[in-house]
Protein backbone atom coordinates (compact mmCIF):
# COMPACT_ATOMS: atom_id res chain seq x y z
CA UNK A 1 0.00 0.00 0.00
CA UNK A 2 1.24 3.45 -0.95
CA UNK A 3 0.23 6.60 0.88
CA UNK A 4 0.32 9.97 -0.85
CA UNK A 5 0.22 13.32 0.92
CA UNK A 6 -0.03 16.66 -0.86
CA UNK A 7 1.06 20.00 0.51
CA UNK A 8 1.72 23.52 -0.67
CA UNK A 9 -1.76 24.70 -1.53
CA UNK A 10 -3.05 28.10 -0.57
CA UNK A 11 -4.69 31.30 -1.71
CA UNK A 12 -2.90 33.57 -4.17
CA UNK A 13 -3.57 36.38 -6.61
CA UNK A 14 -3.78 35.94 -10.36
CA UNK A 15 -0.35 35.94 -11.96
CA UNK A 16 1.40 34.59 -8.90
CA UNK A 17 3.11 31.23 -8.50
CA UNK A 18 2.70 28.28 -6.21
CA UNK A 19 4.43 24.91 -5.92
CA UNK A 20 2.69 21.77 -4.76
CA UNK A 21 4.44 18.74 -3.33
CA UNK A 22 3.38 15.13 -3.06
CA UNK A 23 5.22 12.73 -0.81
CA UNK A 24 4.82 8.98 -1.20
CA UNK A 25 5.43 6.42 1.50
CA UNK A 26 4.90 2.69 1.91
CA UNK A 27 5.20 0.06 4.60
CA UNK A 28 7.16 -2.24 2.29
CA UNK A 29 9.64 -1.80 -0.48
CA UNK A 30 8.61 -0.27 -3.78
CA UNK A 31 10.27 1.55 -6.64
CA UNK A 32 8.63 4.93 -6.97
CA UNK A 33 10.41 5.62 -10.24
CA UNK A 34 8.49 2.77 -11.86
CA UNK A 35 5.12 4.40 -11.20
CA UNK A 36 2.94 6.55 -13.35
CA UNK A 37 2.53 9.78 -11.36
CA UNK A 38 -0.03 12.47 -12.01
CA UNK A 39 -1.59 15.63 -10.72
CA UNK A 40 -5.34 15.98 -11.08
CA UNK A 41 -7.65 18.79 -10.11
CA UNK A 42 -11.35 19.21 -9.55
CA UNK A 43 -13.33 22.38 -9.06
CA UNK A 44 -16.73 22.36 -7.34
CA UNK A 45 -19.40 21.07 -9.69
CA UNK A 46 -16.82 20.25 -12.34
CA UNK A 47 -15.37 17.02 -13.64
CA UNK A 48 -11.98 15.90 -12.51
CA UNK A 49 -9.25 16.61 -15.02
CA UNK A 50 -5.67 15.49 -15.47
CA UNK A 51 -3.25 18.37 -15.08
CA UNK A 52 0.17 16.82 -15.62
CA UNK A 53 1.65 13.34 -15.71
CA UNK A 54 5.14 11.91 -15.59
CA UNK A 55 5.75 8.29 -16.51
CA UNK A 56 8.39 5.84 -15.35
CA UNK A 57 10.56 6.68 -18.34
CA UNK A 58 10.39 10.38 -17.51
CA UNK A 59 8.02 11.32 -20.30
CA UNK A 60 5.69 14.18 -19.41
CA UNK A 61 2.20 15.13 -20.54
CA UNK A 62 0.38 18.38 -19.75
CA UNK A 63 -3.20 19.43 -20.06
CA UNK A 64 -3.47 22.10 -22.74
CA UNK A 65 -4.91 24.52 -20.21
CA UNK A 66 -1.68 24.57 -18.20
CA UNK A 67 0.91 23.95 -20.89
CA UNK A 68 3.64 26.56 -20.71
CA UNK A 69 2.66 27.60 -17.18
CA UNK A 70 2.96 24.46 -15.04
CA UNK A 71 5.93 22.15 -14.60
CA UNK A 72 5.80 18.66 -13.16
CA UNK A 73 8.98 17.16 -11.73
CA UNK A 74 10.05 14.33 -9.46
CA UNK A 75 12.70 13.50 -6.93
CA UNK A 76 12.80 9.72 -6.99
CA UNK A 77 15.27 9.48 -4.13
CA UNK A 78 12.77 11.31 -1.91
CA UNK A 79 9.69 9.71 -3.50
CA UNK A 80 8.28 13.16 -4.17
CA UNK A 81 6.40 14.73 -7.05
CA UNK A 82 6.12 18.47 -7.55
CA UNK A 83 3.88 20.75 -9.52
CA UNK A 84 5.26 24.22 -10.09
CA UNK A 85 2.39 26.48 -11.06
CA UNK A 86 3.22 29.82 -12.65
CA UNK A 87 1.03 32.66 -13.87
CA UNK A 88 -1.94 31.28 -12.00
CA UNK A 89 -5.40 32.15 -13.22
CA UNK A 90 -8.78 32.14 -11.52
CA UNK A 91 -9.70 29.13 -13.64
CA UNK A 92 -6.93 27.18 -11.90
CA UNK A 93 -8.87 27.28 -8.65
CA UNK A 94 -9.55 23.69 -7.61
CA UNK A 95 -8.66 20.91 -5.26
CA UNK A 96 -5.43 19.37 -6.50
CA UNK A 97 -4.75 15.66 -6.06
CA UNK A 98 -1.65 13.56 -6.44
CA UNK A 99 -2.10 10.08 -7.89
CA UNK A 100 0.20 7.15 -8.55
CA UNK A 101 -0.06 3.72 -10.12
CA UNK A 102 2.48 1.00 -10.91
CA UNK A 103 0.91 0.50 -14.34
CA UNK A 104 2.06 2.42 -17.39
CA UNK A 105 0.58 5.86 -17.89
CA UNK A 106 -0.42 5.04 -21.45
CA UNK A 107 -2.32 1.99 -20.22
CA UNK A 108 -4.26 4.06 -17.70
CA UNK A 109 -4.97 6.74 -20.27
CA UNK A 110 -6.24 4.19 -22.77
CA UNK A 111 -8.52 2.54 -20.23
CA UNK A 112 -10.19 5.50 -18.55
CA UNK A 113 -13.70 4.58 -17.57
CA UNK A 114 -12.55 1.02 -16.96
CA UNK A 115 -9.87 1.60 -14.33
CA UNK A 116 -8.43 4.42 -12.26
CA UNK A 117 -5.22 5.26 -10.44
CA UNK A 118 -4.71 2.94 -7.50
CA UNK A 119 -3.35 5.50 -5.06
CA UNK A 120 -4.58 9.00 -4.29
CA UNK A 121 -3.70 11.74 -1.88
CA UNK A 122 -6.23 13.67 0.18
CA UNK A 123 -5.88 16.80 -1.92
CA UNK A 124 -4.69 20.33 -1.34
CA UNK A 125 -6.77 23.41 -2.13
CA UNK A 126 -5.56 26.08 -4.53
CA UNK A 127 -7.55 29.28 -4.72
CA UNK A 128 -6.66 32.02 -7.19
CA UNK A 129 -8.34 35.40 -6.94
CA UNK A 130 -8.35 38.06 -9.62
Amino acid sequence: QVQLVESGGGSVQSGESLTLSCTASASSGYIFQNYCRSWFRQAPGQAREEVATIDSDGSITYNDSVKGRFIISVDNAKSQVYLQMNDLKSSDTAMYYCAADPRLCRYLRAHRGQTDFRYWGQGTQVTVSS
Side-chain angles (χ1 to χ4, degrees), residues 1-39:
Q1 187 75 21
V2 176
Q3 292 79 48
L4 305 175
V5 179
E6 304 98 333
S7 63
S11 181
V12 298
Q13 298 285 330
S14 295
E16 295 184 339
S17 299
L18 203 61
T19 298
L20 307 181
S21 298
C22 171
T23 301
S25 62
S27 57
S28 60
Y30 71 105
I31 304 176
F32 190 59
Q33 184 177 354
N34 293 345
Y35 280 63
C36 173
R37 296 147 294 185
S38 292
W39 285 97

Side-chain angles (χ1 to χ4, degrees), residues 13-126:
Q13 298 285 330
S14 295
E16 295 184 339
S17 299
L18 203 61
T19 298
L20 307 181
S21 298
C22 171
T23 301
S25 62
S27 57
S28 60
Y30 71 105
I31 304 176
F32 190 59
Q33 184 177 354
N34 293 345
Y35 280 63
C36 173
R37 296 147 294 185
S38 292
W39 285 97
F40 288 82
R41 68 185 181 187
Q42 186 168 27
Q46 303 297 316
R48 187 186 70 191
E49 66 176 356
E50 184 176 358
V51 178
T53 298
I54 182 165
D55 209 345
S56 56
D57 63 357
S59 61
I60 295 172
T61 301
Y62 292 103
N63 188 293
D64 287 341
S65 66
V66 306
K67 196 173 299 181
R69 297 189 298 121
F70 290 12
I71 301 172
I72 186 172
S73 61
V74 300
D75 185 333
N76 290 315
K78 296 181 178 180
S79 293
Q80 293 183 320
V81 186
Y82 309 96
L83 184 67
Q84 181 180 333
M85 305 182 292
N86 301 310
D87 191 25
L88 283 162
K89 306 175 183 298
S90 295
S91 56
D92 294 319
T93 295
M95 183 72 77
Y96 283 72
Y97 299 91
C98 176
D101 196 295
R103 294 170 290 182
L104 294 172
C105 292
R106 64 174 180 270
Y107 174 86
L108 298 172
R109 190 171 296 113
H111 292 82
R112 282 173 185 163
Q114 303 174 43
T115 188
D116 204 355
F117 280 73
R118 293 182 180 177
Y119 306 109
W120 292 84
Q122 82 290 341
T124 185
Q125 179 67 40
V126 173

